[in-house]
Amino acid sequence: MWSVFSYLFPAREQPQRRTYATNNPPLLPTIDQQFHPKLRVVMKQLDSIAPRFPMKRGDIEILNRPDQFYSTLKAKIASAKSRIFLSSLYVGKTQTELIQCLDDALAASADLKVYILIDALRGTREAPDNVCSASLLTPLVAKFGKHRVDVRMYHTPNLAGMSKAITPKRFNETYGLQHMKLYGFDNEIMLSGANLSHDYFTDRQDRYYVFRSSRLTDYYYKIQEAISSISYQVLPSQKLKQGFRLTWPTSNASCEPHMNIGRFISDTSYMLDPLLKQQQLSSFDEFDDTDDYDTLVYPVSQFTPLFPKMIDNSTEKPAVLRLLSYLDTSSIKWWFTAGYFNMLPEIQDRLINGKSAGSVITASPKANSFYKSSGVSYYVPEAYLLFAKKFLEEVARIGKSSMITVFEWQRGVVNTLGGWSYHAKGMWLTAPDEEVPSITVVGSSNYTKRAYSLDLESNAIIITKDEVLKQQMKDEITNLMTYAKKLELTDFQPKPKQKKQELESSTPDTKTNPHVDVSENAIQAIDTVATMDDDSVHLVNKDDDVVYEVDEDRKISYGVQLALKLLGGRF
C-alpha cells in the first residue's frame, strides 16, 4: 500500500547535495599572476572541484587526423615497457592488426602488462554467433595469462532483471554504457572521443590529445582501475560456443550490481568520491620544482550511475558549468562541437544566455554514421537535425542570431567512397580580447543528458598561457572548419525545385499517395496549394508555376519529433 501511495504522491525532490574537497596546493604567486585575471578566476573555481596537474610546453601534443591517431596508437603500444591501459566503448571486430600489435608488444617485453576496459553490452553484442570485442581479445588472455592481460567489461547497474530479459540487443545500450576513451602507455596518456575500430582510424573525424606526464597518466590509470574493479573479467572458455566467459572476481570492490544494487552503489560511491577529487601528493610543496609550468590540466569525470541519486559527486558537469559561467563578457569567444548534437539544457542555457559570441560545429546528416542505415537507426540523423533546428530557433527567439552561429561538418557522404563521418566533441574558449583559445575541454563526453545520467565519461579541462599550444588549439578548430558550412533556419524552408509542367508530367498516383493533391481543379481554386506528408512540404505557386520543396536532408518526420519527446534524453 505504501508503494502505491508513493507512486501516486511522489515525494518532492530535495536539492542535490554537492561537496568538494580537493587537495590542490596553492599556485605559486609568480606563476599565477602570469595568467589573465579572468582565467585565474576560472582556475580557482576548478581548484575546488577537480585535481590539478601542471605542465610545460611540449607536454601536450594535438593530433588532427584519424590516421595520426591510429599510427600514434600503434607506435605507443610497440614502445611500451611496463603498462598499456585502454578504455573504450568497444574494439572493432575486424581489428586483428591492433590485436597483433598488442601481442607483439607483450612478447617483446616480459614486464609489460595490458589492461583493457570496454562495455559489456556493446562488447558482446554479436556473441555467440559472430566475432565481438570479447572474442577478439580472449586469445591474448589465453596466450599470456590473466595476470598480464586483464580484460574487463563494465555492465551498467541500470539494466537487470526483467528489463534485461526483454530488451533487445542494441536497444539495451540505451540504459547506459562505459563510454570513456583513455589510451595510456607507460607515462603517457591520450584522451579522445574515438573508439578502437576501423572507421575511427581512417575516415571518422575526432579529437586526440597526447599528454606526456607520469602523474596525470597515473591518475587516469587509477580511474580505469577503479571502474575495472566493479566490472566483469573476460576469460577463455572451451565449453561455450562464443569462446569466452564473463566472471566476477572475488577481488572486485563490490558485489555484482544485480545481486544487491544498494550495496553496489554504496561501495562504488565510497570508492570513487575521493578519487575524482584528489591526486596523490607527497607534500603541498610538490609543485615547487615545476615553477616554469604554463598549462594546467584538470581531469573531470561523470560517473552518475555509480552514485546515489541525490549525492552525485561526479566532477565533469559542475566543472563544465562553472567554466561556462566565464562567458559573462562580450570580449570572450567560444566554440562548441558535438557529432551528436543534443546539448544538456543547462549547457545550452549558459552558451545562449552568456554575453559572448560563439560557434557550434555539428555533423551534417550526411556525416552521421547512421545516415541511410537500416531499421530504426535510419531516423537518427533526422533526430539530431531537429535538435540543431530547435537550437537555432531558440537563438533567433532571444535575438542572438548575429552572435551565435551553427555550422554543419560534411566531407563527402558517409558510407560512400571518400565519405567521412564526424564524431568530434569538446569546446574552446579564449581569454578576453584574444582570437586564439586559452581553454579547451577534450574527452569522451557528448554533453548530452545521457552523458550526465547514464554513461561513464572521462575528460580533461586544459587552461594554458603557452602561445604555441594556444595556436595549436586554434589550428584544431581551423581544421574542423575546413569542411563546415553555415546552417540557417532558412535551410529548413521549402525551396523551388521544378516547373509545374515537369510536375504534371510526373504526377504521382493519388491512389497510392493520397497525401498529394496536384489536380488542375485544386491548382485553379487557390494561388498556392500545399500538400504535406509526414516528412516534407510541397508548394505549387500558380503565378510562376514552380514547385517548392524542403531539401531531402532537411526533412524531419512527425514520427521523429514524437520520438524525441519520449526518448530525447537517451540520445
Side-chain angles (χ1 to χ4, degrees):
M1 178 62 71
W2 178 252
S3 61
V4 174
F5 179 85
S6 299
Y7 177 79
L8 296 175
F9 304 98
R12 179 178 297 177
E13 284 194 359
Q14 299 298 315
Q16 182 170 306
R17 293 194 297 110
R18 291 214 55 89
T19 58
Y20 304 110
T22 67
N23 60 346
N24 295 330
L27 290 169
L28 296 174
T30 54
I31 299 299
D32 188 32
Q33 296 300 317
Q34 295 181 24
F35 286 85
H36 191 282
K38 291 285 290 185
L39 296 181
R40 294 204 299 268
V41 172
V42 174
M43 287 151 49
K44 285 181 172 59
Q45 291 177 332
L46 294 178
D47 270 337
S48 71
I49 298 175
R52 182 185 71 233
F53 296 84
M55 294 193 182
K56 300 181 290 187
R57 176 175 293 183
D59 288 344
I60 299 176
E61 179 185 3
I62 302 175
L63 310 178
N64 286 313
R65 302 193 313 269
D67 62 321
Q68 289 179 316
F69 168 56
Y70 189 37
S71 61
T72 301
L73 187 71
K74 291 189 292 183
K76 300 293 185 187
I77 290 173
S79 62
K81 301 302 180 185
S82 60
R83 66 178 175 185
I84 296 171
F85 62 97
L86 310 173
S87 291
S88 187
L89 174 59
Y90 65 101
V91 177
K93 55 188 177 182
T94 63
Q95 291 311 303
T96 54
E97 183 184 37
L98 181 64
I99 301 302
Q100 186 60 53
C101 190
L102 290 168
D103 189 310
D104 293 342
L106 285 160
S109 177
D111 296 328
L112 179 64
K113 294 185 178 181
V114 174
Y115 308 89
I116 298 175
L117 172 66
I118 56 179
D119 184 74
L121 299 176
R122 186 63 178 271
T124 59
R125 180 198 286 177
E126 297 84 0
D129 298 318
N130 295 297
V131 175
C132 62
S133 299
S135 60
L136 194 66
L137 292 165
T138 299
L140 287 177
V141 183
K143 182 175 181 179
F144 296 99
K146 64 179 182 179
H147 64 290
R148 291 193 65 197
V149 180
D150 185 21
V151 179
R152 298 295 181 117
M153 288 193 161
Y154 166 85
H155 191 293
T156 176
N158 296 330
L159 181 64
M162 185 59 68
S163 296
K164 184 172 182 178
I166 65 174
T167 306
K169 291 184 177 181
R170 292 183 68 93
F171 290 96
N172 59 14
E173 296 171 22
T174 62
Y175 283 86
L177 296 167
Q178 191 308 102
H179 200 248
M180 298 186 297
K181 282 81 177 183
L182 308 175
Y183 305 123
F185 323 92
D186 292 340
N187 294 320
E188 295 180 321
I189 176 75
M190 178 159 50
L191 297 187
S192 178
N195 291 302
L196 300 175
S197 68
H198 179 73
D199 50 346
Y200 290 95
F201 301 155
T202 54
D203 54 18
R204 189 158 170 77
Q205 182 65 55
D206 216 299
R207 299 178 67 207
Y208 330 88
Y209 276 54
V210 181
F211 301 84
R212 300 181 179 94
S213 166
S214 59
R215 191 175 295 141
L216 183 65
T217 304
D218 287 343
Y219 178 83
Y220 281 111
Y221 172 74
K222 291 181 183 301
I223 290 288
Q224 176 169 322
E225 184 181 46
I227 301 304
S228 295
S229 74
I230 52 169
S231 300
Y232 290 93
Q233 187 172 29
V234 180
L235 296 176
S237 174
Q238 296 180 346
K239 296 180 179 179
L240 298 176
K241 177 182 179 181
Q242 59 200 27
F244 66 88
R245 58 190 175 94
L246 301 184
T247 66
W248 192 267
T250 57
S251 58
N252 272 7
S254 186
C255 62
E256 294 180 70
H258 68 273
M259 299 293 291
N260 187 331
I261 186 62
R263 176 188 165 189
F264 179 80
I265 297 299
S266 176
D267 291 340
T268 55
S269 60
Y270 179 81
M271 173 182 63
L272 292 171
D273 186 42
L275 178 60
L276 290 179
K277 299 171 185 175
Q278 299 178 2
Q279 57 170 304
Q280 290 183 345
L281 296 175
S282 58
S283 74
F284 271 49
D285 296 326
E286 193 172 32
F287 294 160
D288 283 352
D289 61 345
T290 60
D291 58 1
D292 59 341
Y293 64 84
D294 49 40
T295 301
L296 300 176
V297 178
Y298 295 89
V300 292
S301 298
Q302 196 70 26
F303 295 151
T304 300
L306 304 177
F307 284 103
K309 279 190 176 180
M310 304 310 297
I311 316 176
D312 183 359
N313 286 328
S314 298
T315 53
E316 184 199 333
K317 180 179 176 181
V320 168
L321 293 179
R322 290 275 186 98
L323 189 63
L324 295 181
S325 65
Y326 165 74
L327 304 177
D328 59 354
T329 174
S330 59
S331 61
I332 293 170
K333 296 181 176 63
W334 58 264
W335 296 262
F336 175 95
T337 188
Y340 301 128
F341 185 67
N342 180 15
M343 280 187 201
L344 183 77
E346 293 99 311
I347 291 178
Q348 176 170 308
D349 289 346
R350 298 285 175 100
L351 293 177
I352 289 181
N353 294 317
K355 297 180 181 179
S356 305
S359 301
V360 171
I361 310 169
T362 189
S364 158
K366 291 180 179 178
N368 188 300
S369 57
F370 294 103
Y371 184 69
K372 299 294 185 183
S373 62
S374 59
V376 176
S377 60
Y378 176 90
Y379 298 98
V380 169
E382 281 186 39
Y384 291 111
L385 185 63
L386 178 58
F387 286 127
K389 180 173 182 285
K390 288 183 176 295
F391 178 84
L392 283 171
E393 289 173 341
E394 181 61 19
V395 169
R397 186 189 69 80
I398 64 174
K400 293 280 189 74
S401 295
S402 62
M403 294 177 59
I404 300 175
T405 309
V406 175
F407 293 90
E408 276 191 338
W409 190 97
Q410 182 181 334
R411 185 173 179 179
V413 178
V414 68
N415 300 323
T416 66
L417 184 64
W420 286 42
S421 57
Y422 187 77
H423 196 249
K425 65 278 298 275
M427 59 186 77
W428 303 259
L429 301 87
T430 71
D433 300 313
E434 293 191 0
E435 297 296 321
V436 294
S438 293
I439 304 173
T440 192
V441 186
V442 64
S444 64
S445 180
N446 287 307
Y447 308 101
T448 62
K449 183 177 179 181
R450 171 180 177 140
Y452 295 112
S453 59
L454 298 173
D455 296 341
L456 305 188
E457 311 281 4
S458 200
N459 306 271
I461 297 175
I462 303 167
I463 302 178
T464 186
K465 61 184 179 67
D466 175 20
E467 295 299 331
V468 173
L469 181 57
K470 288 162 66 174
Q471 185 58 51
Q472 289 175 347
M473 293 196 300
K474 183 61 185 296
D475 292 343
E476 184 186 21
I477 299 170
T478 301
N479 177 62
L480 296 178
M481 289 296 293
T482 301
Y483 299 97
K485 182 180 178 182
K486 188 176 180 180
L487 178 68
E488 301 182 274
L489 282 174
T490 54
D491 293 330
F492 297 91
Q493 297 175 358
K495 294 178 176 57
K497 290 297 180 183
Q498 60 182 144
K499 295 293 184 181
K500 172 185 167 186
Q501 291 83 355
E502 295 173 350
L503 175 71
E504 291 173 339
S505 66
S506 59
T507 300
D509 185 352
T510 56
K511 293 181 181 179
T512 60
N513 192 352
H515 296 290
V516 181
D517 182 358
V518 291
S519 67
E520 189 65 28
N521 290 337
I523 295 175
Q524 292 176 350
I526 54 176
D527 286 342
T528 301
V529 178
T531 61
M532 206 179 234
D533 58 22
D534 67 340
D535 62 1
S536 61
V537 177
H538 304 272
L539 299 175
V540 181
N541 187 289
K542 181 181 177 182
D543 293 335
D544 56 13
D545 294 336
V546 176
V547 172
Y548 291 81
E549 185 177 1
V550 176
D551 289 341
E552 179 185 1
D553 291 329
R554 296 290 174 254
K555 296 176 182 178
I556 304 171
S557 68
Y558 295 141
V560 166
Q561 298 182 49
L562 177 61
L564 289 193
K565 289 182 180 180
L566 300 175
L567 301 172
R570 292 186 180 269
F571 278 84

